[in-house]
Amino acid sequence: MEVVRARRGYDEGCTDGANILVTDRIQSSPRSAQERVGLTDEEAVAIMLEESQAYGGPWNDIRADLQAGAHVNYTWFTQHVVPAPWNRGRSVVIGDAAHSCPPTIAQGAAQALEDALVLTELLVAADAVDAGLWDAFHARRVARAQAVVDASVQLGQWQIDHDREADAPGLIFGIAHRMAEPA
């Protein structure tokens, strides 16, 4: 399991508060994610306030919300792609059970929906749930899921490394272009 620093971000579209993404590589932090699991709300807020001091703009309002009692939830970001086959007999794993990635390119839910759509198309068209159906499913999904995971992890790594020479726009455009093609 690898934890990556994705970015510092703020989602104002959240209907029940703000989704704030502040992640750090465990090895570089004086407090590990395991140590943060049992924190009180007050302790978690204090860490978030401390780690956000270098940021202005919307972070000024975020810090005010934190001081007013907002809840902070620390979690781990993982990445994996289960090697094919994703099925055992007639049972199959899809979505995050088959592949997961950091939220750096916002493709996780889209990939889960694509798994479901492809599987539905194949099941509706099939005469039997057999090796041919699973081979077709894997042919359409495994490489695409791997590409999304790889791109998400790469973008996160560039951010961890503060790599100003990295072609993040090119990476994001490339994966978006690839995902625009039907599975």
Side-chain angles (χ1 to χ4, degrees):
M1 177 170 15
E2 181 170 337
V3 178
V4 299
R5 164 182 280 154
R7 65 184 177 278
R8 281 159 169 46
Y10 181 49
D11 175 9
E12 296 182 57
C14 182
T15 58
D16 62 346
N19 288 325
I20 304 168
L21 177 61
V22 180
T23 58
D24 288 300
R25 183 181 267 282
I26 295 306
Q27 295 84 351
S28 68
S29 177
R31 299 177 192 98
S32 76
Q34 285 182 325
E35 292 168 343
R36 293 182 185 189
V37 170
L39 294 177
T40 66
D41 280 343
E42 294 79 20
E43 293 167 326
V45 166
I47 292 168
M48 182 71 77
L49 289 170
E50 176 186 331
E51 293 189 4
S52 68
Q53 288 304 308
Y55 299 94
W59 279 95
N60 296 326
D61 293 334
I62 295 167
R63 279 188 292 277
D65 289 344
L66 288 168
Q67 290 168 334
H71 177 72
V72 175
N73 178 41
Y74 287 101
T75 189
W76 293 52
F77 290 140
T78 63
Q79 58 94 6
H80 76 274
V81 178
V82 174
W86 292 349
N87 72 298
R88 299 295 183 270
R90 296 171 55 99
S91 298
V92 64
V93 294
I94 63 174
D96 281 355
H99 46 80
S100 69
C101 56
T104 51
I105 60 172
Q107 276 289 310
Q111 290 303 298
L113 290 170
E114 192 170 282
D115 286 349
L117 175 67
V118 168
L119 185 56
T120 300
E121 289 175 354
L122 292 170
L123 287 169
V124 167
D127 292 327
V129 178
D130 57 13
L133 179 136
W134 296 120
D135 290 345
F137 176 71
H138 294 115
R140 289 176 64 184
R141 292 300 306 135
V142 175
R144 285 173 67 91
Q146 186 70 61
V148 167
V149 170
D150 291 347
S152 296
V153 170
Q154 178 63 74
L155 185 56
Q157 188 63 54
W158 285 339
Q159 292 171 341
I160 289 169
D161 297 340
H162 303 284
D163 186 345
R164 296 187 182 275
E165 302 301 317
D167 186 14
L171 177 73
I172 294 167
F173 177 80
I175 200 69
H177 187 352
R178 183 167 180 185
M179 293 305 111
E181 296 294 320

